[in-house]
Amino acid sequence: MEQYAVEVKELRKYFPIHAGLLHRTVGHVKAVDGVSFGVKKGETLGIVGESGCGKSTTGRMIMRFLQPTSGDILIDGKHVDEVTRSEAGEFRKKIQMVFQDPYASLNPKRSVGQTVAEPLIVNRIMPRADAMERAAKLLETVGLKSQDMHKYPHEFSGGQRQRIGIARALALNPRLIVADEAVSALDVSIQSQILNLLMELKNQYHLSYLFISHNLAVVRHISDRVGVMYLGHLVEIGPKHSVYSNPLHPYTEALLSAALEPRRQSRRQRIVLQGDVPNPANPPSGCPFHTRCPKAMKVCRMDSPEIQEVSAEHLVACHLYA
Amino acid sequence: MAQPLLEVRDLKTYFVSKESRVPAVDGIDLDVRQGQIVCIVGESGCGKSMTSLSIMRLLPRPRGKIVGGTILFNGVDLLDLTEKQMSQLRGNEISMIFQEPMTALNPVLSIGDQIAEVLLRHRRLSRREATERAVQALTFVGVPRANEIVHEYPHQLSGGLRQRVMIAMAMACEPKLLIADEPTTALDVTIQAQVLQLMKRLRDETGTSMILISHDLGVVAEMADHVVVMYAGQVVESTDAETLFSQPLHPYTRGLMASMPSLDEQREVLYSIPGTVPGAVNFPKGCRFADRCHMAQARCHRTMPDLREVAAGHFVRCDMITAEGVGM
């Protein structure tokens, strides 16, 4: 299966809850509970969902920042657990990340050139002088000036800092970039600059993106396919046109109807969901969405629906389509 | 037409120190009528929050200063009031809700006590009556199990519930004006939809006027009767919401709308406004948007355009715009 840049199978992450004097484990927060998907080479897969749905945890497991509780992660068709120590470095270089907060993710004591050159130096790809030269070129690639490499993060605006973060991610020529809320902290006029840059770079460097965001319009704009997560589960995934114009899962439908747009004429019928997302330490039985679902049936309270293909490449986990 | 409830004229709020005077709000006008929802929209640093803090007279001390203008509320200039008179008004006739409900609520006071505090301050009520009113206020904003929640603490509630508590507290004394600064920015979309629906219902049922501050044009389109677009401390466009969204005139407003990705249509490349907002320390002397504007002419860089009424009730700060559209 060479066609996926990264593939995850039945990925799970349970965080233990400790309590009491003896620090006993009294339960688990099921942050990610059996998620499977793949990012094809050269595609952008968008993952949307609300806070606590497990989208960031999924991204962090793919980055190997977190060890999965169970499940498989395959990079270029190869299982990450089977990678030998000597290959491990190579593997890490293939995946890079762009973070949400452009203020927190850059070292304030390092010049921007040092920050961007750092991955090249620690991975012993080139000597320091060459690395700094490459850093200067990378800054130009992301729309900054090569002279900027001697400046420090505080001298840049939020949008420019996000460009620096992107330059750093590009340094190692990765195959896949995991972007976790990469434009969420930016103002609208700057957000569109960064989105355009990401799309341009993707074509230029044949990148794949896993683009994690809560913003439905942004995800629609940048993605080829879109996955929707709710309470640790992937409830729907498919080509973006299919998901946005014909949402199958009642949650996707509600999410889309709740998104607000500055075009008054394009208002759709609004579905306002009642209540809050349940606590992932104590998820409901059956379908995780049944407590808020306007279309819940008896079976939804008992059985958790399997994700299945309903139309071409469009999968949904919902008993309505069983 | 009746006198507006709130009339802000030429308000100037500067950050003043020995060495410098930095304009945060630089001469804005704002009218809010009874029962109206006015939205102030703009990006970080445009002065929208400083405008609301000026109205509340809650500017960061000692540097934030109102250096000019008037704020008439019910015909009284708030800037003439003493601090004591002002505190009679705050939470009573004008109240405010903030973006981050967790930092705006007191973590060591129960929900009931926090709401009762407002009522005890402004109404002659016994503690018991105040707590009863707190339960009513919570029920009114759709908080489930209000009887129990009055005894709970902020950390026990979800973000959406906390924001409802904030709204209950702000509405407890039935204010004439509610200022909401990014009330749903920290919330998820499905919860945002609930809170916005609630705010509209409150307006319809109580007739409270609202100033809603947001960076999100989607929220503004949903809520606003009237919209004021701010850029670099100034109003650049002001009109009713229908007109603003169907015929935006200022190049900045148009640029903002074109920069937003859409849920319905696919555009290959998003429009983006080049450059960044100028720093308040050295604003250009001409139009503050000129450096980023695709329509800018030499004179835009030379002279500051006035906010002109180009069509009935439609104000635009741009010399390149006429009622017929873009011209000259």
Side-chain angles (χ1 to χ4, degrees):
Chain A
M1 291 283 275
E2 257 305 270
Q3 58 161 334
Y4 288 112
V6 66
E7 199 181 358
V8 300
K9 290 179 181 166
E10 285 295 308
L11 202 58
R12 285 192 167 76
K13 181 69 196 178
Y14 294 175
F15 292 102
I17 306 165
H18 299 295
L21 261 184
L22 300 173
H23 213 57
R24 283 208 184 93
T25 303
V26 292
H28 287 93
V29 173
K30 296 176 175 174
V32 176
D33 202 6
V35 165
S36 307
F37 61 81
V39 184
K40 293 178 197 161
K41 285 188 178 158
E43 93 166 339
T44 301
L45 176 68
I47 299 284
V48 287
E50 298 179 285
S51 12
C53 71
K55 57 191 192 300
S56 291
T57 306
T58 305
R60 300 182 83 83
M61 283 192 279
I62 292 172
M63 288 304 298
R64 314 291 287 156
F65 294 161
L66 287 173
Q67 184 68 30
T69 305
S70 71
D72 304 314
I73 300 173
L74 285 78
I75 291 167
D76 272 345
K78 190 155 186 189
H79 202 297
V80 286
D81 290 341
E82 288 160 13
V83 174
T84 59
R85 276 194 101 151
S86 56
E87 288 174 316
E90 280 306 306
F91 253 74
R92 288 201 179 249
K93 282 180 231 160
K94 288 184 184 173
I95 306 186
Q96 293 292 315
M97 187 157 186
V98 177
F99 300 89
Q100 170 170 5
D101 188 340
Y103 294 84
S105 59
L106 297 176
N107 186 335
K109 290 178 169 180
R110 276 208 181 140
S111 77
V112 161
Q114 284 172 317
T115 292
V116 176
E118 177 79 7
L120 296 165
I121 297 165
V122 291
N123 284 291
R124 300 208 182 89
I125 298 200
M126 48 181 78
R128 184 169 290 270
D130 296 356
M132 292 303 273
E133 220 167 274
R134 175 140 162 79
K137 287 215 181 76
L138 284 163
L139 288 176
E140 282 176 9
T141 312
V142 297
L144 296 171
K145 296 190 197 81
S146 55
Q147 304 93 279
D148 288 340
M149 64 187 286
H150 303 296
K151 294 190 189 164
Y152 287 82
H154 73 267
E155 299 175 71
F156 295 92
S157 67
Q160 288 172 322
R161 287 182 210 207
Q162 203 55 307
R163 288 176 192 267
I164 297 163
I166 294 169
R168 174 177 58 189
L170 286 175
L172 294 171
N173 278 323
R175 298 285 185 76
L176 176 81
I177 289 184
V178 177
D180 189 357
E181 301 281 9
V183 298
S184 306
L186 307 174
D187 275 321
V188 189
S189 72
I190 307 300
Q191 172 180 298
S192 65
Q193 293 175 3
I194 299 296
L195 285 174
N196 285 341
L197 173 68
L198 286 171
M199 292 175 87
E200 221 177 274
L201 292 172
K202 182 185 144 189
N203 295 333
Q204 206 177 330
Y205 293 91
H206 309 289
L207 295 165
S208 310
Y209 290 131
L210 180 65
F211 192 91
I212 298 166
S213 177
H214 72 283
N215 187 324
L216 290 152
V218 165
V219 165
R220 184 196 146 106
H221 180 75
I222 199 168
S223 307
D224 300 304
R225 286 191 307 138
V226 176
V228 182
M229 286 186 72
Y230 185 79
L231 209 64
H233 294 260
L234 185 69
V235 297
E236 180 161 1
I237 186 169
K240 75 168 164 200
H241 294 293
S242 190
V243 171
Y244 279 76
S245 57
N246 181 27
L248 296 174
H249 200 283
Y251 176 64
T252 315
E253 221 181 321
L255 203 58
L256 281 172
S257 84
L260 303 174
E261 277 216 275
R263 285 163 195 79
R264 293 202 138 196
Q265 44 293 45
S266 70
R267 281 203 189 157
R268 39 192 109 210
Q269 187 57 40
R270 191 140 293 152
I271 307 163
V272 177
L273 288 178
Q274 298 307 309
D276 277 318
V277 180
N279 183 350
N282 183 19
S285 63
C287 172
F289 187 57
H290 86 254
T291 54
R292 300 171 79 196
C293 183
K295 296 176 180 167
M297 305 173 290
K298 205 174 163 195
V299 58
C300 305
R301 284 194 288 275
M302 273 119 62
D303 298 326
S304 181
E306 292 290 315
I307 192 155
Q308 52 177 339
E309 193 160 2
V310 171
S311 60
E313 282 197 82
H314 193 161
L315 285 71
V316 65
C318 178
H319 288 302
L320 287 173
Y321 304 92
Chain B
M1 228 186 275
Q3 179 86 359
L5 176 69
L6 181 80
E7 249 184 297
V8 177
R9 287 291 171 271
D10 200 27
L11 177 70
K12 288 188 172 140
T13 303
Y14 285 17
F15 283 105
V16 183
S17 72
K18 270 189 191 138
E19 304 83 43
S20 63
R21 285 160 63 86
V22 179
V25 177
D26 208 7
I28 74 151
D29 293 348
L30 183 71
D31 282 357
V32 183
R33 296 180 188 286
Q34 153 83 36
Q36 199 182 28
I37 300 182
V38 174
C39 286
I40 304 180
V41 65
E43 299 181 288
S44 341
C46 72
K48 54 191 194 302
S49 291
M50 294 310 290
T51 302
S52 65
L53 292 177
S54 303
I55 298 169
M56 292 295 282
R57 295 229 339 238
L58 287 173
L59 289 167
R61 267 182 278 200
R63 296 192 56 198
K65 290 224 166 65
I66 297 171
V67 298
T70 53
I71 304 174
L72 290 182
F73 177 73
N74 255 344
V76 178
D77 190 348
L78 296 184
L79 301 181
D80 291 339
L81 299 185
T82 62
E83 182 51 39
K84 197 169 173 196
Q85 290 170 316
M86 195 62 211
S87 65
Q88 298 286 335
L89 232 64
R90 272 191 222 114
N92 189 12
E93 301 208 16
I94 310 178
S95 56
M96 184 157 179
I97 53 180
F98 299 89
Q99 173 173 352
E100 220 345 293
M102 195 58 217
T103 49
L105 290 169
N106 187 336
V108 297
L109 276 187
S110 75
I111 301 298
D113 284 350
Q114 300 194 43
I115 301 175
E117 190 185 1
V118 191
L119 291 160
L120 290 170
R121 175 77 181 71
H122 295 294
R123 297 280 183 273
R124 287 170 180 275
L125 292 177
S126 67
R127 181 155 277 281
R128 190 188 193 146
E129 287 166 329
T131 310
E132 264 167 37
R133 286 277 291 275
V135 174
Q136 285 168 12
L138 286 172
T139 314
F140 188 51
V141 297
V143 171
R145 315 182 282 116
N147 276 319
E148 297 164 39
I149 281 189
V150 283
H151 303 297
E152 291 183 7
Y153 290 84
H155 75 270
Q156 292 170 286
L157 308 180
S158 68
L161 273 182
R162 281 183 208 140
Q163 200 56 293
R164 280 176 195 263
V165 169
M166 285 294 301
I167 295 174
M169 201 185 298
M171 296 296 290
C173 289
E174 291 156 8
K176 296 196 176 74
L177 177 67
L178 176 70
I179 302 176
D181 190 353
E182 305 270 6
T184 59
T185 307
L187 305 177
D188 280 318
V189 271
T190 59
I191 308 300
Q192 166 173 288
Q194 294 173 359
V195 171
L196 293 180
Q197 196 184 43
L198 165 69
M199 290 180 64
K200 268 199 160 163
R201 202 195 83 210
L202 292 178
R203 191 273 306 260
D204 293 345
E205 289 177 12
T206 64
T208 295
S209 309
M210 297 186 184
I211 298 177
L212 194 146
I213 292 167
S214 182
H215 71 285
D216 186 338
L217 284 167
V219 169
V220 173
E222 177 74 13
M223 300 293 288
D225 298 316
H226 189 94
V227 187
V228 172
V229 183
M230 284 186 73
Y231 185 80
Q234 297 177 318
V235 174
V236 294
E237 187 159 2
S238 168
T239 184
D240 65 279
E242 285 303 331
T243 312
L244 188 92
F245 287 98
S246 58
Q247 292 164 295
L249 289 179
H250 197 281
Y252 174 64
T253 317
R254 293 215 305 252
L256 269 189
M257 291 190 188
S259 314
M260 288 189 74
S262 158
L263 281 174
D264 297 313
E265 57 190 279
Q266 182 70 27
R267 275 170 287 182
E268 271 311 303
V269 180
L270 283 179
Y271 178 79
S272 67
I273 304 176
T276 47
V277 183
V281 183
N282 45 3
F283 277 136
K285 83 173 194 296
C287 170
R288 291 180 183 171
F289 186 62
D291 285 340
R292 306 176 73 189
C293 182
H294 66 282
M295 289 168 26
Q297 306 284 317
R299 73 161 165 152
C300 301
H301 293 278
R302 276 199 310 272
T303 46
M304 166 80 70
D306 290 323
L307 190 65
R308 292 178 301 129
E309 187 166 14
V310 293
H314 194 161
F315 294 83
V316 182
R317 189 186 290 279
C318 176
D319 287 342
M320 299 294 125
I321 301 290
T322 60
E324 291 74 45
V326 187
M328 295 196 194

